[in-house]
């Protein structure tokens, strides 16, 4: 992809994605076993993103002291290391399910303004549910990070689905599984909370391709259809 090699499994399946700020034109070069190559120009559809006002964040969180900044930097290093690893699991190719269902209170790519001050864009999808709501694995994987209390994200978990694809869960109140543990799709892995930089209980679910932040809603059915299906049962 734009001269950067992407790993493929034995079936020729692979994953890649584009960040919110990605250039809209890319070139995908396919190299076949017989040596033949094929160039595929890719055009990314431009999206508009929402602006959200979030008030009530404490001054301590907005302006952390040097000790807190050092802690946050350590947290970020752990998260980046977990997302950088490669595994040959084919779970990335599963049909993903929602880790929780409920009202979507925050969307990918939206610009959040904290206490009147613009922050970085939001890179997950927020589902507003009660503290203690069970979170399940959206696909098979291995727990690559499980930390009960990070400065910004509180209880934080990352599941490696293979070939650079991972799920991150933020603001958790309880974590059921530990780093290195294998989990299956639908398995209970954690509980929703309001830990870290959060003003209320919700699950912040993120999908990454290595360090590239992707929109989780592109890999699951619409929340509306899922809720309607549950109501009809």
């Amino acid at each position: 992809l734009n001269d950067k090699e992407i790993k493929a499994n034995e079936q020729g399946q692979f994953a890649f994605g584009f960040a919110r700020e990605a250039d809209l034109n890319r070139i995908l070069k396919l190299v076949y076993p017989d040596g033949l190559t094929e160039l595929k120009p890719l055009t990314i559809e431009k999206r508009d993103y929402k602006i959200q006002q979030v008030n009530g964040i404490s001054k301590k969180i907005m302006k952390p002291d040097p000790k807190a900044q050092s802690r946050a930097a350590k947290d970020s290093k752990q998260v980046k290391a977990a997302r950088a690893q490669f595994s040959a699991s084919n779970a990335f190719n599963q049909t993903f399910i929602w880790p929780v269902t409920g009202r979507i209170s925050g969307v990918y790519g939206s610009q959040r303004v904290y206490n009147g001050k613009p922050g970085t864009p939001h890179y997950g999808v927020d589902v507003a549910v009660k503290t203690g709501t069970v979170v399940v694995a959206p696909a098979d994987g291995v727990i690559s990070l499980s930390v009960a209390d990070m400065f910004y994200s509180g209880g934080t978990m990352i599941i490696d689905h293979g070939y650079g694809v991972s799920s991150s869960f933020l603001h958790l109140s309880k974590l059921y599984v530990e780093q290195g543990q294998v989990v299956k799709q639908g398995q209970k892995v954690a509980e929703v909370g309001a830990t870290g930089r959060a003003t209320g209980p919700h699950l912040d679910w993120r999908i990454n391709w290595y360090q590239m932040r992707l929109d989780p809603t592109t890999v699951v059915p619409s929340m509306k259809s899922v809720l309607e299906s549950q109501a009809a049962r």
Side-chain angles (χ1 to χ4, degrees):
L1 180 65
N2 278 25
D3 296 323
K4 183 176 181 180
E5 186 177 277
I6 298 174
K7 295 181 182 295
N9 63 16
E10 293 181 355
Q11 293 75 41
Q13 299 165 331
F14 55 91
F16 64 87
F18 302 105
R20 180 182 186 272
E21 305 83 5
D23 294 335
L24 299 182
N25 296 298
R26 298 297 183 94
I27 296 294
L28 182 65
K29 181 180 180 181
L30 303 177
V31 182
Y32 295 96
D34 59 7
L36 292 177
T37 62
E38 181 181 2
L39 297 180
K40 288 185 173 292
L42 303 178
T43 301
I44 306 170
E45 183 178 352
K46 183 176 176 57
R47 294 175 59 179
D48 294 322
Y49 298 102
K50 296 181 179 180
I51 303 296
Q52 293 180 315
Q53 301 286 335
V54 181
N55 297 311
I57 302 294
S58 71
K59 293 182 179 179
K60 182 178 180 181
I61 293 293
M62 290 297 296
K63 295 181 179 180
D65 60 31
K67 184 177 180 180
Q69 291 180 24
S70 176
R71 178 186 169 194
K74 181 181 178 181
D75 293 343
S76 179
K77 186 176 181 180
Q78 290 185 75
V79 169
K80 287 182 178 179
R83 290 173 174 165
Q85 65 188 36
F86 170 83
S87 70
S89 169
N90 289 321
F92 76 94
N93 202 36
Q94 285 182 305
T95 299
F96 280 53
I97 62 174
W98 282 93
V100 295
T101 56
R103 180 178 63 87
I104 293 179
S105 57
V107 296
Y108 171 89
S110 58
Q111 181 82 34
R112 287 188 164 185
V113 180
Y114 294 102
N115 294 352
K117 183 179 179 180
T120 56
H122 182 48
Y123 291 114
V125 58
D126 292 342
V127 184
V129 287
K130 295 180 180 179
T131 294
T133 301
V134 172
V135 179
V136 302
D140 297 350
V142 177
I143 305 300
S144 55
L145 184 74
S146 183
V147 179
D149 184 24
M150 287 189 160
F151 181 72
Y152 284 108
S153 56
T156 304
M157 180 179 294
I158 298 179
I159 303 177
D160 175 16
H161 302 297
Y163 286 83
V165 179
S166 66
S167 285
S168 299
F169 304 135
L170 283 55
H171 310 302
L172 302 170
S173 61
K174 290 184 180 180
L175 294 81
Y176 297 164
V177 289
E178 300 178 351
Q179 185 171 327
Q181 188 170 336
V182 175
V183 295
K184 302 298 290 184
Q185 185 179 65
Q187 180 177 334
K188 298 176 181 179
V189 296
E191 291 182 12
V192 171
T195 57
R197 187 173 180 163
T199 56
H202 70 282
L203 177 69
D204 182 344
W205 175 33
R206 305 189 176 196
I207 289 282
N208 272 59
W209 178 58
Y210 296 109
Q211 307 304 333
M212 203 78 70
R213 301 177 177 97
L214 312 180
D215 185 351
T217 63
T218 62
V219 298
V220 285
S222 72
M223 181 66 80
K224 180 181 179 181
S225 67
V226 172
L227 294 176
E228 288 177 347
S229 177
Q230 291 176 347
R233 292 175 184 173

